[in-house]
Amino acid sequence: MPDLAYVNGEIMPIEKAVVPIEDRGYQFGDGVYEFVASYEGRPFMLEEHLDRLERSMRELALDPVPRADIKKAVLDLFTLSGYPRAGLYIQIARGVAPRNHAITPGMTPQIIMTIRPVQEMPAEKREKGATAITVKDTRWGRCDIKTVQLLSNSLAKQKSLDAGCDDAIFVSGQGIVREGTSSNLFIVSGGRLTTHPLTDNILPGITRMVVLNLCKAADLVVEESFFGIEALLGADEVFLTGTVTELLPIVRIDDKSIGNGEVGPITRRLYDLLREQAMAGGPA
Ligand code: PMP
């Protein structure tokens, strides 16, 4: 099977899929999305991704789309693609109408999906750790909604690549460390973990939630609280979490080594626990 696309109920090879030019997702970023990955052919945390998609749609007051319809399309694509380790993108835009900032009533939500093999993180990054830069968080005030407006994320990611690093970490104007360009962030200091609390300024990551539960089960202390750049750079360990990122150690930030510059033991342990759970298809 080729990489597949789903467009409003129809499945086709990706290169055949097109959308109307007056789709508000395209012109205004007026849409929401999800990205779900499979392990051994089974989508991981699918219900949680669908919950978040529904929440995102509610927050933007998009017309509801039956969850059963989305779920059926998702499962059909995972099955049809035949990829054991697939990444499935779902996007729901408000609809198509002559371009106007005001929202035209009665539009039909435009649902598209694509499925491809997951682009795995190079093993070396997991083993030796990745690097990051910090950037000012220029995103809008509702980063908790998974909208398709990702320009700040995309530009920050590119800036990190241009600097020879792997990712960028958003820091607020007041110096609060938020998250990565497509991941949440944890620090470990003195054996205790800290991550940004769930507010309007970060995405409520599914992997973040899985990792918080793994910490609880492993008796690791985690605090959901704000911290600044000094705590970040002074941490013993730093890692990012996300559906594609999984759990990625960061060993250098803004040219400063984190801890001893090697992947730390808590990061390693949590990565193994996360992989175990993903390969098992979910929590025990
Ligand atoms: N924060 C941002 C900004 C993201 O784009 C993502 C990935 N979608 C995450 C965090 C991690 O979320 P998840 O674990 O649900 O993939």
Side-chain angles (χ1 to χ4, degrees):
M1 268 285 161
D3 297 344
L4 296 173
Y6 166 103
V7 183
N8 296 321
E10 243 188 278
I11 294 177
M12 62 200 80
I14 257 180
E15 61 280 4
K16 294 267 181 327
V18 289
V19 292
I21 62 167
E22 290 195 307
D23 183 316
R24 283 184 62 93
Y26 174 56
Q27 292 186 328
F28 291 100
D30 187 358
V32 298
Y33 78 103
E34 276 299 323
F35 190 88
V36 188
S38 64
Y39 291 82
E40 316 221 309
R42 284 186 306 239
F44 184 50
M45 306 301 283
L46 177 57
E47 297 300 332
E48 288 76 3
H49 281 281
L50 294 176
D51 288 345
R52 188 171 61 186
L53 184 63
E54 285 185 335
R55 175 183 183 270
S56 297
M57 292 182 70
R58 269 198 313 274
E59 291 295 323
L60 293 191
L62 298 190
D63 280 347
V65 177
R67 181 179 177 118
D69 293 357
I70 302 172
K71 187 169 171 182
K72 181 176 182 315
V74 165
L75 294 175
D76 284 351
L77 282 172
F78 274 113
T79 305
L80 277 173
S81 79
Y83 298 133
R85 179 97 166 100
L88 176 124
Y89 174 78
I90 310 170
Q91 176 177 311
I92 304 185
R94 191 180 305 273
V96 180
R99 187 176 184 281
N100 188 346
H101 285 62
I103 293 168
T104 308
M107 280 179 288
T108 307
Q110 299 292 297
I111 310 173
I112 62 150
M113 302 184 196
T114 58
I115 190 160
R116 298 194 158 94
V118 167
Q119 280 195 311
E120 297 283 3
M121 192 72 56
E124 198 204 350
K125 302 277 178 208
R126 301 216 171 277
E127 216 24 62
K128 298 225 164 84
T131 57
I133 57 170
T134 56
V135 292
K136 183 167 175 212
D137 193 353
T138 54
R139 300 173 301 165
W140 79 321
R142 290 300 307 274
C143 294
D144 59 312
I145 311 173
K146 203 162 167 58
T147 78
V148 298
Q149 306 179 85
L150 292 172
L151 186 56
S152 292
N153 307 56
S154 169
L155 293 178
K157 173 78 179 183
Q158 189 56 45
K159 189 172 176 190
S160 73
L161 298 178
D162 291 345
C165 292
D166 300 298
D167 205 355
I169 296 166
F170 288 118
V171 179
S172 80
Q174 289 75 40
I176 298 170
V177 176
R178 303 286 194 207
E179 60 182 339
T181 61
S182 58
S183 52
N184 294 111
L185 183 138
F186 286 71
I187 60 172
V188 185
S189 294
R192 299 165 72 92
L193 292 97
T194 311
T195 193
H196 193 290
L198 293 184
T199 67
D200 290 354
N201 303 110
I202 66 160
L203 188 81
I206 309 287
T207 321
R208 175 187 181 281
M209 180 181 74
V210 171
V211 169
L212 287 176
N213 289 333
L214 288 172
C215 286
K216 220 179 277 169
D219 277 335
L220 289 167
V221 180
V222 194
E223 208 182 305
E224 292 176 69
S225 64
F226 300 111
F227 56 91
I229 215 156
E230 274 177 28
L232 175 72
L233 298 180
D236 303 326
E237 302 178 36
V238 173
F239 62 83
L240 299 175
T241 63
T243 296
V244 179
T245 310
E246 298 181 311
L247 197 153
L248 182 70
I250 302 293
V251 295
R252 209 170 171 79
I253 301 174
D254 290 344
D255 273 335
K256 184 177 175 311
S257 279
I258 301 303
N260 63 4
E262 290 177 6
V263 179
I266 292 184
T267 304
R268 266 189 209 288
R269 181 165 166 217
L270 285 170
Y271 175 69
D272 289 345
L273 289 171
L274 175 66
R275 284 290 302 194
E276 208 175 282
Q277 186 163 115
M279 297 302 273

